[in-house]
Amino acid sequence: MDVHTIDTAPDAAKGLIDKAHAKYGFLPNLLGVMASAPPLLEAYMTLAGLFEKSSLSPTERQTVLLTVSAVNQCSYCVAAHTALAQMQHVEQDVLDALREGRPLSDAKLEALRRFTEAMVTSRGWPSAQVTEAFHQAGYTPAQALEVVLGVGIKTMSNYTNHMAQTPLDNAFASGEWTPSQEK
């Protein structure tokens, strides 16, 4: 699949590409790939913007996004969200654990990680035990639905990257990640 630029993208994607360039200072390759299907690009950018407005903190949002990407073995998204999380000052021990699939030392974040992982692996049917632990950690039913939003966003990008074998941007190279062979 092509990685579009502003010059090669379909006309319907050009305004979205301009917005992405203004936000990031460059056009991430993922968005260049998504530009081939302007409705996908628009949906992804819109939903990502809505997720940023959720009640979850930046660290909690990155926990959701990195967990989904690691479970789905998306090297591109793990690398990109590692870089974005670092810019949002997510603690390095949290990033290391998420990238390595290890439990988090913060009990509340760990409940969020486990709930998110269960949402992905069970296709939306987390066990009562995992769901109860999520709520006992202080998360609300509304925040469970915000996790659903985060899972949806990352599923779109993870699957796009799998199909396109999206090349990693230089801006995200410091977060390069290779999935373990255990999955």
Side-chain angles (χ1 to χ4, degrees):
M1 292 186 185
D2 293 329
V3 179
H4 286 286
T5 66
I6 190 70
D7 296 325
T8 65
D11 287 342
K14 291 185 188 239
L16 296 165
I17 288 174
D18 284 338
K19 286 181 185 177
H21 197 278
K23 180 175 181 174
Y24 299 109
F26 71 103
L27 178 64
N29 287 336
L30 167 65
L31 302 182
V33 169
M34 286 182 166
S36 292
L40 174 64
L41 178 60
E42 182 177 6
Y44 180 78
M45 290 176 66
T46 300
L47 293 175
L50 292 172
F51 190 57
E52 288 177 11
K53 295 177 183 179
S54 75
S55 67
L56 299 172
S57 71
T59 296
E60 290 168 326
R61 289 192 306 269
Q62 290 300 333
T63 297
V64 170
L65 300 174
L66 279 161
T67 298
V68 175
S69 296
V71 170
N72 284 334
Q73 298 186 330
C74 183
S75 297
Y76 181 96
C77 283
V78 170
H81 283 284
T82 297
L84 294 170
Q86 288 169 332
M87 288 188 285
Q88 294 174 345
H89 307 290
V90 174
E91 293 181 20
Q92 192 61 46
D93 65 318
V94 171
L95 290 176
D96 292 343
L98 290 168
R99 289 169 55 88
E100 295 166 14
R102 290 186 287 109
L104 300 170
S105 59
D106 180 290
K108 186 172 183 183
L109 281 179
E110 175 59 11
L112 175 62
R113 184 195 71 80
R114 289 189 66 227
F115 181 76
T116 302
E117 182 178 61
M119 288 295 292
V120 176
T121 60
S122 71
R123 294 185 211 122
W125 296 95
S127 71
Q129 180 182 7
V130 169
T131 302
E132 179 63 22
F134 177 77
H135 293 303
Q136 287 294 319
Y139 291 105
T140 67
Q143 288 172 314
L145 295 173
E146 291 175 348
V147 170
V148 171
L149 175 59
V151 170
I153 295 162
K154 281 297 97 187
T155 300
M156 291 190 316
S157 62
N158 294 168
Y159 289 10
T160 297
N161 289 321
H162 293 170
M163 289 181 2
Q165 298 179 346
T166 309
L168 188 60
D169 303 271
N170 289 337
F172 305 140
S174 66
E176 189 171 0
W177 179 82
T178 303
S180 72
Q181 298 303 319
E182 297 173 15
K183 302 234 182 220

